[in-house]
Amino acid sequence: MEKILLFIPGYNCEKQITRVLSQIDELILKYVNEVIMVNNISTDNTEQKVLEFAKQHPNIPLKLLRNNENYGLGGSHKTAFNYAIENKFDYVIVLHGDDQGNIQDLLPILEDGSYKKYDCCLGARFKKGSKLQGYSKFRTFGNIVYNTLFSIVVRKKIYDLGSGLNIYNTNILKNEFYIKFPDKLTFN
């Protein structure tokens, strides 16, 4: 049976992090072996909220990791990918700590095993039929404009440039190609 790591990046998401962690239920834990929340030097109470949640939910194998400085979203991904490789995980699920995605949306592909056929499965918040919650019309419009521009450049339909819910096979990460990517939001 494969080992799956759930990685939750977070920066100043004290208002959302408990909701995100609360998505981890018995169904998810059938597939996920460990959860790491990587705190990117939050200046609010994100870390305290994670510690409180961990204490209240000892059944969830949750670890809190802290970057030494603010490495950005990409830097947090690098931390998690390195952790996954070093600890011999087969897959890494990424679920953003600011409540952009719902891990329950991954259950169908976890249950049927279809994720095993791909190097990565990327969420798409702006694909027709997706449920987008908590986004203003302006933010949605901006993302659609960026997705359209990138679609024109790559000559393929791009539905989302940086979804908050993805799964990666660690075999593709072992050569560490991602290390050269920027540490900022443009990491994706």
Side-chain angles (χ1 to χ4, degrees):
M1 186 165 172
E2 67 269 347
K3 274 179 70 176
I4 299 179
L5 175 68
L6 172 56
F7 153 55
I8 302 172
Y11 176 74
N12 287 350
C13 52
E14 73 175 301
K15 293 178 181 161
Q16 303 94 352
I17 195 64
T18 301
R19 281 195 313 268
V20 172
L21 292 169
S22 294
Q23 295 177 28
I24 305 166
D25 61 12
E26 288 181 26
L27 285 173
I28 294 300
L29 290 175
K30 282 175 51 178
Y31 302 96
V32 170
N33 302 88
E34 186 176 336
V35 180
I36 60 169
M37 190 283 173
V38 178
N39 181 16
N40 206 13
I41 308 297
S42 295
T43 59
D44 65 1
N45 290 317
T46 298
E47 192 164 301
Q48 186 60 35
K49 295 285 186 181
V50 173
L51 292 171
E52 288 170 10
F53 183 90
K55 190 174 184 180
Q56 294 167 0
H57 299 87
N59 63 313
I60 297 176
L62 173 61
K63 286 184 183 176
L64 175 64
L65 304 180
R66 183 186 309 121
N67 285 333
N68 294 327
E69 55 187 84
N70 187 335
Y71 297 123
L73 182 61
S76 291
H77 274 74
K78 292 173 187 178
T79 297
F81 289 168
N82 291 341
Y83 182 92
I85 293 165
E86 290 166 10
N87 292 281
K88 298 182 180 8
F89 283 92
D90 300 296
Y91 295 91
V92 179
I93 295 172
V94 179
L95 175 65
H96 285 196
D98 62 357
D99 205 15
Q100 286 186 34
N102 188 329
I103 196 162
Q104 302 296 319
D105 292 340
L106 277 183
L107 271 177
I109 67 169
L110 290 171
E111 289 170 348
D112 70 15
S114 58
Y115 65 96
K116 297 175 188 179
K117 296 188 262 180
Y118 305 100
D119 291 334
C120 59
C121 299
L122 306 175
R125 297 167 290 182
F126 306 99
K127 187 173 182 178
K128 188 175 181 168
S130 293
K131 296 173 250 163
L132 188 61
Q133 298 173 347
Y135 266 63
S136 68
K137 288 182 181 182
F138 178 75
R139 192 171 178 190
T140 301
F141 174 75
N143 275 275
I144 290 170
V145 168
Y146 274 119
N147 294 338
T148 302
L149 291 172
F150 277 85
S151 294
I152 292 167
V153 170
V154 299
R155 296 184 180 147
K156 268 191 169 176
K157 182 70 176 161
I158 303 292
Y159 294 102
D160 200 331
L161 289 169
S163 169
L165 183 62
N166 304 304
I167 185 168
Y168 299 90
N169 184 325
T170 56
N171 283 331
I172 66 161
L173 304 172
K174 288 180 180 170
N175 70 3
E176 297 184 335
F177 69 91
Y178 56 89
I179 295 294
K180 66 180 184 247
F181 291 174
D183 287 342
K184 300 179 271 189
L185 283 172
T186 55
F187 176 81
N188 284 339

